[in-house]
């Protein structure tokens, strides 16, 4: 039975100057769950204080911010998200680093996890490990829950005897990737919301307001100007054309996603087209390079062989362009060539990336160089996302103003003809 103790108690007798209060949830070596507060300059320092006291922190969050609830695997059911895996890897790394046994760590994770899909997968992994199966092999039996990158890191950690360090690296990798995804979603949310709002507003005008003006014009007589007649025709056809267009979009999206999975050549063409888009193409390319560098640096830093690391990276970046380049790099490595020489042949990689990798190969610090490349492109993505949001806002407002203003002008154009007819009749 889970018990909670120390709620509201500070681990230190008084607050240190410049420190903050953090709430934590932890577990002791006997598996007893505790909650409380600790004063520390930052979250990392709070974790170190708890570890020095023999406590295994499962979650640490700033007190009084509205976010000090238990950090646990969120969600109700369904597909496991990147954030779920990031929290899972961080908690798993914390428990293994504290010396807690593998089975006990899996049992605590199973108990703590809320999302049903991940909870069942952890339970199956624990049962397999109890039966003598290696942790990485047990996780590989659930490819829809545990990604290839996570399994490869766990296998490297098991082989080299540094599972806790491997989990720490993959946890940091997933947290940065989740942060990157959040940045992209934040940059794309505003234009999507504005476009949906504009579409709904225009549809409401065409369906409810334009017919009223049409009936009024028919009663007053006169020939409708061409722009007004176009608006009226669109209003009449929207009743059947709107649902048809929506159905075409939905079916087209489903078919496109299916073809992306079934036809690698189509996926490669699609990803290249994405990177050539006028506004978003550069952002997509930077995201792909950041994930490539981060994943490859994480794998090589954990001791994964180069060929296996390249294979895993090709399957985890989410870009067919990068995957195709990784296949070429594997061929180069098998022939004894350095990665940097073959990397420069692929336009998706800027010359700076190839030069950084070349320096890493010559100095024997390729993992560190890849981490620096990933950090650089993470900052580039942040800057590009902020610039994109700032530039899209006035453009969207201008477009909405032109569309709505144009519709209003089209509806009021017949008024001049009607007025002239009335003047002539007098």
């Amino acid at each position: 039975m889970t018990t909670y103790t120390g709620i509201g108690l500070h681990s230190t007798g008084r607050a240190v100057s410049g420190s903050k209060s953090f709430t934590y949830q932890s577990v002791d070596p006997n598996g007893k769950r505790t909650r409380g507060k600790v004063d520390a300059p930052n979250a990392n320092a709070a974790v170190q204080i708890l570890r020095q006291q023999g406590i295994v922190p499962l979650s640490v969050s700033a007190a009084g911010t509205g976010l000090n609830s238990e950090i646990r695997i969120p969600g109700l059911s369904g597909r496991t998200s990147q954030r779920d895996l990031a929290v899972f890897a961080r908690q798993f790394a914390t428990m293994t680093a504290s010396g807690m046994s593998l089975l006990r760590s899996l049992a605590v994770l199973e108990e703590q996890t809320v999302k049903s899909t991940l909870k069942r997968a952890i339970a199956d992994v624990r049962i397999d490990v109890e039966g003598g199966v290696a942790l990485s092999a047990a996780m590989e039996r659930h490819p829809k829950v545990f990604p290839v990158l996570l399994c490869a890191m766990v296998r490297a950690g098991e082989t080299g005897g540094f599972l806790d360090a491997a989990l720490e690296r993959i946890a940091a990798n997933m947290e940065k990737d989740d942060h990157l995804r959040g940045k992209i979603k934040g940059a794309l949310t505003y234009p999507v919301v504005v476009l949906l709002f504009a579409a709904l507003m225009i549809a409401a005008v065409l369906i409810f307001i334009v017919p009223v003006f049409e009936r009024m014009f028919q009663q007053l007589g006169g020939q409708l100007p061409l722009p007004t007649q176009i608006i009226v025709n669109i209003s009449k056809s929207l009743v059947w054309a709107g649902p048809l267009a929506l159905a075409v979009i939905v079916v087209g999206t489903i078919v496109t996603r299916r073809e992306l999975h079934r036809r690698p050549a189509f996926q490669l063409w699609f990803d290249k087209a994405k990177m050539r888009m006028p506004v978003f193409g550069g952002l997509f390319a930077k995201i792909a390079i950041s994930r490539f560098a981060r994943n490859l640096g994480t794998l090589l830093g954990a001791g994964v062989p180069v060929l296996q690391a390249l294979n895993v990276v090709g399957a985890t970046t989410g870009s067919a362009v990068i995957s195709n380049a990784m296949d070429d790099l594997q061929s180069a490595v098998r022939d004894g060539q350095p990665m940097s020489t073959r990397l420069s042949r692929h336009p998706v990689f800027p010359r700076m990336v190839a030069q950084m990798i070349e320096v890493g190969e010559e100095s024997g610090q390729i993992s560190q160089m890849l981490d620096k490349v990933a950090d650089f492109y993470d900052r580039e993505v942040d800057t590009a996302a902020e610039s994109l949001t700032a530039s899209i806002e006035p453009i969207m407002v201008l477009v909405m103003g032109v569309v709505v203003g144009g519709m209003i002008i089209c509806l009021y154009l017949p008024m001049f003809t009607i007025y002239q007819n009335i003047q002539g009749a007098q």
Side-chain angles (χ1 to χ4, degrees):
M1 180 177 178
T2 303
T3 59
Y4 296 94
T5 62
I7 299 178
L9 298 179
H10 286 68
S11 296
T12 57
R14 59 186 176 86
V16 181
S17 177
S19 66
K20 302 177 183 178
S21 292
F22 293 88
T23 60
Y24 67 85
Q25 179 184 348
S26 61
V27 62
D28 60 21
N30 296 323
K32 185 178 180 181
R33 194 75 61 82
T34 60
R35 293 174 64 184
K37 285 186 178 180
V38 60
D39 290 330
N42 51 56
N44 290 332
V47 171
Q48 294 299 324
I49 291 173
L50 294 173
R51 287 179 176 175
Q52 290 173 3
Q53 298 176 355
I55 298 174
V56 181
L58 297 178
S59 64
V60 175
S61 59
T65 61
L67 298 174
N68 55 347
S69 58
E70 299 175 15
I71 298 179
R72 50 171 61 189
I73 307 300
L76 298 175
S77 62
R79 182 174 175 269
T80 305
S81 67
Q82 184 75 7
R83 181 167 298 179
D84 299 330
L85 292 171
V87 176
F88 163 79
R90 174 59 63 190
Q91 294 178 344
F92 201 1
T94 301
M95 285 186 282
T96 52
S98 67
M100 186 178 292
S101 68
L102 185 59
L103 288 175
R104 185 58 192 162
S105 299
L106 290 171
V108 173
L109 287 169
E110 178 187 352
E111 180 184 356
Q112 165 139 330
T113 302
V114 175
K115 180 164 284 188
S116 59
T117 305
L118 184 56
K119 191 181 188 74
R120 288 194 299 268
I122 295 174
D124 293 341
V125 169
R126 180 180 57 80
I127 294 172
D128 289 341
V129 171
E130 283 181 331
V133 180
L135 177 62
S136 57
M139 296 175 71
E140 287 171 352
R141 296 179 180 179
H142 302 273
K144 293 184 179 180
V145 178
F146 302 114
V148 178
L149 182 64
L150 176 60
C151 296
M153 288 293 292
V154 170
R155 182 178 294 278
E158 288 178 321
T159 304
F162 49 89
L163 180 60
D164 54 345
L167 287 170
E168 286 281 356
R169 286 188 66 95
I170 193 61
N173 180 286
M174 288 183 169
E175 287 166 354
K176 290 179 180 179
D177 191 58
D178 180 66
H179 175 74
L180 185 64
R181 291 170 185 258
K183 280 287 184 181
I184 304 310
K185 288 180 181 179
L188 298 180
T189 296
Y190 178 80
V192 170
V193 170
V194 172
L195 283 174
L196 289 176
F197 176 76
L200 290 175
M201 185 174 62
I202 293 172
V205 170
L206 291 173
I207 293 174
F208 299 107
I209 298 179
V210 172
V212 175
F213 275 83
E214 183 190 10
R215 289 193 294 269
M216 182 181 67
F217 295 151
Q218 289 177 348
Q219 293 173 359
L220 295 175
Q223 184 74 21
L224 291 179
L226 179 60
T228 307
Q229 188 62 51
I230 293 175
I231 294 295
V232 171
N233 293 338
I234 293 175
S235 175
K236 291 180 179 179
S237 61
L238 190 64
V239 177
W240 60 268
L244 178 61
L246 183 62
V248 169
I249 292 173
V250 172
V251 173
T253 302
I254 295 174
V255 171
T256 300
R257 288 185 174 181
R258 183 178 301 174
E259 290 299 314
L260 287 176
H261 291 289
R262 293 175 55 184
R263 297 172 56 188
F266 177 69
Q267 184 176 4
L268 180 61
W269 173 86
F270 184 80
D271 286 345
K272 285 183 178 179
K274 280 171 53 178
M275 293 182 181
R276 292 170 183 165
M277 292 175 63
V279 178
F280 297 95
L283 183 61
F284 291 142
K286 291 174 182 177
I287 294 170
I289 295 172
S290 174
R291 286 179 178 166
F292 150 77
R294 182 77 61 197
N295 293 349
L296 185 57
T298 300
L299 290 167
L300 295 179
V304 177
V306 176
L307 290 175
Q308 182 182 348
L310 291 173
N311 184 51
V312 172
V313 169
T316 56
T317 55
S319 171
V321 178
I322 301 295
S323 179
N324 186 57
M326 293 304 100
D327 292 339
D328 189 32
L329 289 185
Q330 289 183 67
S331 300
V333 172
R334 290 193 190 97
D335 295 338
Q337 301 178 21
M339 289 189 294
S340 55
T341 56
R342 191 66 67 91
L343 198 69
S344 58
R345 300 183 183 180
H346 298 272
V348 67
F349 296 106
R351 183 169 179 79
M352 185 270 290
V353 176
Q355 290 175 342
M356 291 283 285
I357 293 178
E358 184 178 0
V359 172
E361 288 175 330
E362 293 176 354
S363 63
Q365 296 182 337
I366 186 170
S367 175
Q368 292 86 336
M369 282 297 180
L370 286 167
D371 289 340
K372 292 182 184 297
V373 171
D375 291 337
F376 172 80
Y377 276 97
D378 282 348
R379 292 191 295 270
E380 287 287 301
V381 169
D382 289 345
T383 303
E386 292 173 0
S387 301
L388 185 63
T389 304
S391 61
I392 282 181
E393 183 173 354
I395 294 174
M396 297 298 294
V397 172
L398 178 63
V399 170
M400 288 181 60
V402 170
V403 172
V404 175
M407 293 180 62
I408 293 175
I409 293 174
C410 290
L411 290 177
Y412 276 91
L413 278 177
M415 295 293 185
F416 299 101
T417 304
I418 293 171
Y419 178 75
Q420 292 175 359
N421 292 338
I422 292 175
Q423 291 288 340
Q426 291 177 352

